[in-house]
Structure formats: C-alpha cells, structure tokens
Amino acid sequence: MSYEKQVSLQEQQFMDKINAEEKIEPKDWMPEKYRKNLIRQISQHAHSEVIGMQPEGNFLTRAPSLRRKAILLSKIQDEAGHGLYLYSAAETLGTTREEMIEALQSGKAKYASIFNYPALTWGDMGAIGWLVDGAAIVNQVSLQRTSYGPYSRGMIRICKEESFHQRQGYDIMLSLVNGTPEQKAMAQDSLNRFYWPALMMFGPHDSESAHSAKSMEWKIKRETNDDLRQKFIDQTASQIEFLGLEHPDKDLKWNEERGHYDSGEIDWEEFYNVIAGNGHCNRQRLEHHIQAHEEGAWVREALAAYNAKKQAKKTKAA
Amino acid sequence: MSNDIKSATLEYTTRLGDDSIVLGHRISEWVSRGPFLEEDIAYANVALDYVGRARMFFGYAAELASDGRTEDDFAYMRDDRQYRNLLLMEMPRGDFAYSQVRQLFVDVYYSLVLPELMDSKDDTLAAIAAKAIKETRYHLRRSRDWVLRLGDGTEESHQRAQKAVDSLWGYTHEMFEMDETESVLADNDIGVDTTKLRDEWLRQVSSILTEATLEVPEDGWAVRGGRIGYHTENLGHLLTEMQFVHRSYPGCQW
C-alpha cells in the first residue's frame, strides 16, 4: 500500500472512531493537526489554571476571615492540581512541561484572558469564583465529552472540584449582599468589572473563531462558543437577580420565542486588545511567572544534582 | 478547671494559635511562587494545615474566653504587641532554602511537642494535637528531604542552605524556654514541658544537617521575646496585610 493510501486509511479509521463517539487514546494514530490542536488547547487550559493562581493568591494573605482564608487556600491548591493533570494530559501527546512553560513565558501560548484583569477587592474573590469558574465549568462540562480520552477524563475530575469553586464564589457574594451597604457595593462593583470579561471567556463569535470548525468536526469541542456563552448568560441572569444586584448588561431581555436571554454586544475591541497583550495585567502575570521560575532555577538544579549523586552512589554500590 | 488554670490554658491556646496563623500566613506567601508546580501544591497544602490549626486553637480560645470573641477576633483584632507567637514563625519568607530550613526546625519541634500534647489532660488540646501530628509527620518528610537535597545538591544550594541555618539558629532556642504560665500547665499535665525536648530536637536536627553536609551552628547567639509580645519588625507588616480587609469593614460577616 502506498504511503498516501495508508494515511488516508488511518484517517478514515480515526474519523470512524470519532463519529462512533469512541475516545482517541495516546497510542492511537491521529492526524498531526489534531495532535497540535489538542496540545494548544490543553496547554492553554493548564496555563490558565496556573496563571489563575495569581489574582487569588493576591488575596490569600488578606482574606477577611480564617474560614475564607482556608477555603481560598484549598481552592488554589485544587487549581495547581488541575494544572498538573492538564500538563500531564498534554504530555501524552508528545510535548513536555518544559516546552509548554517555555511557550507560555515567550508569549507563544495563551492563557485565559480573564486573568489579565486585576483582583482589587475581596468582592473580586467572589466574582472570580462565581463568574470565572462558572464560565469555565460551562465550557468544561461540555468538554467532558471531548474526543481525546485523557483530556475527557481530566475534565470529568476537574468539573467536580470546579463546582465547589463556583459555589464558594457565589457564597462570598451572598455574604456580601446580605452584609452592610459597603459590602453590597463591593459585590456590585466586582460584578460590574467581571461580568463582561467572563462572557469573553467563551471566545469570539463562532463566525470569527479561528479554530472552531475543525475542533467541532474532530469533537475536541462539542458545543460552539456562542451556544456555551448563551448557557452562561441564561444561568447567570437568575443568579444576579437572586443576589439582588443590578445586571451589568442594560440590554438584557428575555426572549420568549428563543427561550433565551438576548443580550448587549460584547466590547470586542477590548477582547482583542487584551488578547494582544495590552490588558491591565498581561505583563505583570507573565513577569510574575518568569520571576518565580527563574528564582526556582537553583532549586531545580540542586534537585537534579542531588538525584545524580544518589544515582552514582547506587551504581557504585551495585 | 480552676480560674487560674483556665486563664493559663486560654493564654497557652492563644499562643499555639498565634504560632499556627503566623506560620500559615508566611507559607501561603509561596503560593504561585514555588520553583515548580508540585511545590505550589505542597506549600498550599501545608499552609492550609496551619490555618486549620489556627482555627481549632482560636476556636477553643474563644470558647475558654467566653466573652463573645470569635476565632476571627483572635486572629484579626490583636496587634503585634498582643501576639504571642515564637519569633521563628514570623521571620520572612526568604528564599526556598530559608523557608525549608525554618520548616525543618519547626517540623522536628512539633513532631516532639504534639505527641506530648496528645497526652494532655485537656481533651480539646489533646484532640487538636492528635489531628496535627499526622500533618506534621508529612511536613517533616518533605522538609527533611528538601534540606538534604539543598545541602548536598549544588554549591549554590549548599551555601544558601547553610546561610539559612545560620540565620535562623538564633530563633530556635526560644522554642524550648518556658515562662510561669507554661510551667504551671506542664505541672498540671495540660501543657508540654518543652525544656525537656531541646536535647532530642538538637540530636535529630544535627543528624539531618550533618547528613546534608551542613554545619550545626554554635549556640552563642539567641533572640527571644515572642511569648511576651516582643517581636521582630516583621510581624507588624504581616499583620498589616492579614488584617487590612477585616479591620477596614468593622463588624462585618464574610
């Protein structure tokens, strides 16, 4: 069989599997673009977990009660853990964590743009948990059915913890709106600042999305950006109402016919501007990551040297 | 419980809570700054253990005080002159070697203190100690491993580790000194007589440092004062940060 024929046969078998809703596993044949697309998406997801530790870490040392401090610590610990699973899932596709970190630090790989917005008040810890983790869950629930086995299984595990994160965020908001007028104002301010960026987390409109069509065909993505965003808009509207806060979208209106909310237009100029690296915290987040990484270099070297010495001793003894 | 013993127990419990919250806070400063991701997880985990201990100790202190104060009042509404933590706990985060050496000193200390506290006639303190010792055993495994790796790693890591040992040594003596309050509680089998633990601590720490090719410092220099609220300048800054939000909005529920 000619090489081309063999490839097209493999591709046919691959697509048959995808169409039959079977998972693709690390050792299975896959098109190079499928592999690259997945590495891009999974590593971006891992980087988001890791960079996301920064805005919350920023309030870890200022949490207003011991209970909240403990919950926030536990949440950030989960996030670091999610980062680890996801890096490992990406490694099954033939990349390494070092390569992924290098791509993050050089700006080649992205992370969720939401983390380029500053966390300024305790209310932001509520808004981030509720809206940012909430938007992430809508996306991740859908990704539990993604076609790549390790990614899908990672998502199933991560979703369980993410729903705790969202609840703790909403719970912070509840405490604030039931508190003093200052606390309620803090909640409103955080909602106002994080609502639109949370909607942007779903990415550009389907018509503008660079990777969407192929990802849908390969079932890496299971639902479109706009459909997922709509779900989030719908579920968030009633949550905002329950909190007794003003909705930041003045054009939000229930559409009986569609069975969904119609909403105002996102400021796409802002979206692309932040993606291009011009947001409030883009530079700060990367510099923080690079600095920690560089400051840890001597530790990683010491670890390698120590292990090499141990190994040498073992070899000598044997 | 007699009133004297009760107020001594309150003071003692508060001290243990102060040690926990101050160290937990310091460790939490590492989150997102570790040398690699696994260490971020480990730091968050250890910090969480200490914040958890602080809650248990302050919760019990609030119960003993029974004057309407809560665990948060103990953590957030006292100034540095009222804090009673050991100075070692409040020393800055420093570099990775500094934090791990501090952790080794603390972990060996707690691995000796907590089993004794488990035998306390005070059931609550005994129960907290029983929970905490499990955490400490895991912490010690980690800090011991790291000190070995850093001491016997590269030239740079060795120097950093030795510098940390030398800088922190003078803050370790205070861990084994007791005032009237602690002596009374030790005599009544409620508190731990830490003066008896110094030799074993020194033996274990020396053995680990030696294995790590590090030198055990001479004992000449010692700083003390945490238990009477005579702190280093570090604590004020730590509390400023920790208490800012809580104090800016007085009387709120969070």
Side-chain angles (χ1 to χ4, degrees), chain A residues 47-298:
Chain A
H47 298 325
S48 302
E49 298 280 357
V50 170
I51 297 293
M53 292 163 69
Q54 289 182 34
E56 292 182 319
N58 181 35
F59 264 91
L60 206 45
T61 48
R62 285 178 288 170
S65 74
L66 293 177
R67 182 173 147 259
R68 293 292 181 197
K69 199 181 186 79
I71 295 172
L72 192 58
L73 261 172
S74 162
K75 174 175 193 279
I76 298 177
Q77 189 186 342
D78 285 349
E79 273 151 11
H82 296 172
L84 266 189
Y85 302 158
L86 289 161
Y87 282 132
S88 307
E91 282 181 329
T92 64
L93 292 157
T95 181
T96 64
R97 206 201 298 182
E98 289 71 27
E99 285 170 351
M100 290 184 267
I101 289 176
E102 160 62 28
L104 168 69
Q105 294 186 343
S106 69
K108 215 179 114 211
K110 301 282 182 220
Y111 55 88
S113 258
I114 189 86
F115 299 121
N116 293 317
Y117 292 82
L120 301 176
T121 70
W122 177 251
D124 292 359
M125 295 303 102
I128 289 175
W130 166 38
L131 299 172
V132 176
D133 290 285
I137 296 173
V138 169
N139 194 23
Q140 287 163 358
V141 163
S142 163
L143 285 173
Q144 293 181 113
R145 295 186 297 121
T146 192
S147 57
Y148 188 56
Y151 193 27
S152 160
R153 291 188 288 274
M155 282 302 116
I156 291 169
R157 201 163 157 189
I158 286 172
C159 277
K160 287 184 190 147
E161 292 179 346
E162 289 288 354
S163 63
F164 146 72
H165 296 171
Q166 190 194 15
R167 278 204 304 276
Q168 71 85 35
Y170 195 67
D171 190 62
I172 289 176
M173 297 305 271
L174 270 175
S175 301
L176 293 178
V177 300
N178 290 316
T180 63
E182 288 84 1
Q183 284 178 300
K184 192 166 181 185
M186 188 188 271
Q188 183 70 56
D189 172 50
S190 297
L191 169 61
N192 293 347
R193 280 183 290 111
F194 277 93
Y195 180 76
W196 290 106
L199 294 193
M200 295 179 199
M201 285 175 70
F202 296 95
H205 282 315
D206 299 338
S207 53
E208 309 286 324
S209 179
H211 305 285
S212 272
K214 203 66 192 167
S215 290
M216 291 290 288
E217 187 190 328
W218 279 330
K219 300 191 180 174
I220 293 175
K221 275 172 81 160
R222 303 307 307 256
E223 289 169 89
T224 69
N225 293 354
D226 286 329
D227 285 348
L228 291 169
R229 184 167 20 242
Q230 184 69 58
K231 267 189 196 167
F232 179 74
I233 290 169
D234 291 347
Q235 78 181 36
T236 305
S238 58
Q239 291 167 346
I240 293 174
E241 198 182 323
F242 185 78
L243 288 172
L245 293 173
E246 254 179 65
H247 202 294
D249 181 356
K250 301 295 167 237
D251 297 323
L252 189 93
K253 216 171 124 208
W254 178 251
N255 182 324
E256 193 63 51
E257 203 176 310
R258 289 202 310 130
H260 292 293
Y261 282 96
D262 291 335
S263 51
E265 195 49 69
I266 289 169
D267 181 351
W268 292 109
E269 198 182 321
E270 176 182 317
F271 173 81
Y272 286 111
N273 200 29
V274 177
I275 286 195
N278 302 323
H280 245 65
C281 301
N282 296 61
R283 279 156 209 250
Q284 180 194 330
R285 299 291 186 234
L286 274 190
E287 278 164 15
H288 179 118
H289 194 272
I290 291 168
Q291 194 189 347
H293 192 69
E294 284 176 355
E295 283 175 2
W298 69 269

Side-chain angles (χ1 to χ4, degrees), chain A residues 61-66 68-70 73 76-77 80 84 97 183 186 288 298-300 302-303 306 309, chain B residues 21 25 31-32 35 38 41 45 48 72 76 149 152-153 156-157 160 241-242 245-246 249 252-254:
Chain A
T61 48
R62 285 178 288 170
S65 74
L66 293 177
R68 293 292 181 197
K69 199 181 186 79
L73 261 172
I76 298 177
Q77 189 186 342
L84 266 189
R97 206 201 298 182
Q183 284 178 300
M186 188 188 271
H288 179 118
W298 69 269
V299 179
R300 297 189 298 276
L303 180 60
Y306 178 80
K309 280 185 205 177
Chain B
I21 193 60
H25 183 101
V31 170
S32 84
E38 284 82 349
I41 299 180
N45 197 305
L48 183 57
D72 285 338
Y76 290 97
R149 291 164 182 160
D152 197 14
E156 180 179 6
S157 70
R160 285 177 185 259
E241 186 174 358
M242 187 174 95
V245 177
H246 185 94
Y249 302 88
C252 288
Q253 297 295 313
W254 299 96

